[in-house]
Amino acid sequence: MKKVIISAITALVLFSCQNDQTESSAPEAAVASRRACATQDVLEAQLKANPALAITMNEIEEFTIQHGDKKFQGRLVNGKIEIPVVVNVLYRTTAENISNTQIQSQIDVLNKDFNALNSDYNNVPALFAGVKANIGISFVLDQVIRKSTTKTSWGTNDAMKKTAQGGIAPTSPTTKLNMWSCTIGGGILGYAQFPGGASSTDGVVIDPKYFGLSGSANAPFNLGRTATHEVGHWMNLRHIWGDATCGSDLVSDTPTHNTANYGVPAYPHYSTCSGTPVEMTMNYMDYVDDAAMYMFSTGQKNRIAAIFTSGGARASFAQP
């Protein structure tokens, strides 16, 4: 499962997120049938607007390679990094004004998924059992901010994060994870900003239909795993297929995938990429349904650890 680590700039600039757009012509109330994440598209737009960002992210990648085997440092709560979460709710309809109960359910899912406490963690096949990982990061709901709007959808240009465009500016983005719940449109479930971007737009955006345990009507994305996937991006994880055919996610213990997987793939799901016949479809960074994703790998854990260690891109979240 060893993969060649390609240059970060190549990975960032050339690879495009393979979003499924089949829902784009459907009514905004419709629930997507296939996962679509706009994180890579948003990154490419940011790189185009600010070419210097590529240098910053390349430096982060070099730091990650050097420090990926380090332990978390700094402030710990019960032995873990604890991240305060601010949820910004932008709503036009009652359904969009998600309840505190739904919001807390999302925090609960994050705590389970990032601490290997999810009930399906033991479903990881024997082939990958040796690399399944407990990330060891906890989340606590810090604040909920609500704002009524007349917008029917917000798109992916970060308008929801800007007061001047009717959104809500992030609260303390260098020490608190900001999440926005708002209708995105275009069949997009959510997106995140990778480490290295501007603090004024830092955080994770999730459509309210896929936020937390949002009810059986919103299956197959009603188990809160959209946020797990997007927070993974926020912690510097790539899509497992590297956003290219047989691409690299910059992690050595995840198999090379042909491309994104959807739905609930039967195991084993074989790749035609060189040297890695069975894909890790149950990884949170694939595109499968919520019920079909339930693990991070040790390599992904090490990659996350690097950004929180002293000198890392998100070290401020772990300061004493």
Side-chain angles (χ1 to χ4, degrees):
M1 292 188 287
K2 183 72 173 176
K3 282 184 283 190
V4 177
I5 302 300
I6 58 179
S7 74
I9 290 180
T10 301
L12 295 173
V13 177
L14 297 183
F15 295 169
S16 63
C17 187
Q18 298 176 7
N19 291 340
D20 181 88
Q21 298 295 332
T22 58
E23 296 295 326
S24 60
S25 61
E28 291 304 329
V31 177
S33 61
R34 303 180 85 188
R35 189 176 302 280
C37 157
T39 296
Q40 193 71 23
D41 291 339
V42 170
L43 172 60
E44 290 181 0
Q46 291 176 337
L47 287 166
K48 184 176 181 180
N50 177 24
L53 176 59
I55 298 174
T56 299
M57 297 189 74
N58 195 44
E59 292 171 347
I60 292 172
E61 192 58 38
E62 291 176 356
F63 184 92
T64 297
I65 293 171
Q66 295 171 11
H67 296 81
D69 60 347
K70 300 294 191 298
K71 299 290 185 182
F72 292 137
Q73 301 175 17
R75 179 180 59 83
L76 301 178
V77 178
N78 296 323
K80 302 175 183 177
I81 291 177
E82 183 178 85
I83 297 179
V85 181
V86 177
V87 177
N88 304 289
V89 181
L90 290 158
Y91 65 94
R92 183 179 64 88
T93 66
T94 300
E96 291 175 337
N97 190 17
I98 58 176
S99 68
N100 287 346
T101 298
Q102 185 172 333
I103 291 169
Q104 184 59 53
S105 75
Q106 182 63 80
I107 303 299
D108 294 343
V109 169
L110 291 174
N111 279 317
K112 290 179 180 179
D113 289 351
F114 280 84
N115 289 280
L117 296 174
N118 47 302
S119 60
D120 44 7
Y121 181 69
N122 289 326
N123 292 346
V124 174
L127 178 63
F128 303 129
V131 299
K132 67 180 183 180
N134 176 353
I135 303 300
I137 294 178
S138 61
F139 304 82
V140 60
L141 182 60
D142 181 79
Q143 187 179 7
V144 178
I145 301 172
R146 300 176 184 275
K147 185 176 182 179
S148 177
T149 178
T150 58
K151 287 195 175 185
T152 56
S153 63
W154 289 84
T156 58
N157 66 351
D158 287 336
M160 72 289 294
K161 306 172 184 178
K162 301 171 182 177
T163 305
Q165 296 185 38
I168 302 172
T171 300
S172 305
T174 59
T175 57
K176 298 178 182 181
L177 166 58
N178 277 255
M179 301 180 75
W180 285 264
S181 172
C182 62
T183 296
I184 301 171
I188 302 297
L189 278 66
Y191 72 93
Q193 180 169 293
F194 286 115
S199 60
S200 60
T201 54
D202 196 33
V204 170
V205 182
I206 307 289
D207 190 289
K209 294 187 291 298
Y210 319 110
F211 198 107
L213 304 180
S214 53
S216 58
N218 292 343
F221 307 114
N222 60 329
L223 301 181
R225 262 64 190 271
T226 294
T228 301
H229 177 100
E230 300 304 343
V231 172
H233 283 315
W234 183 81
M235 293 183 180
N236 209 26
L237 298 185
R238 309 290 164 174
H239 288 138
I240 197 167
W241 69 99
D243 290 291
T245 301
C246 297
S248 173
D249 62 353
L250 309 178
V251 176
S252 62
D253 64 2
T254 55
T256 304
H257 283 216
N258 283 90
T259 186
N261 291 299
Y262 296 94
V264 183
Y267 180 84
H269 183 78
Y270 291 98
S271 167
T272 61
C273 303
S274 176
T276 54
V278 180
E279 296 185 346
M280 191 184 283
T281 62
M282 67 293 305
N283 193 282
Y284 289 120
M285 303 315 294
D286 206 337
Y287 264 10
V288 296
D289 293 351
D290 278 16
M293 55 169 60
Y294 39 82
M295 71 168 287
F296 290 111
S297 77
T298 299
Q300 289 173 322
K301 176 179 180 176
N302 293 341
R303 187 171 175 83
I304 289 171
I307 67 166
F308 289 106
T309 198
S310 179
R314 298 205 185 281
S316 59
F317 285 82
Q319 293 301 306

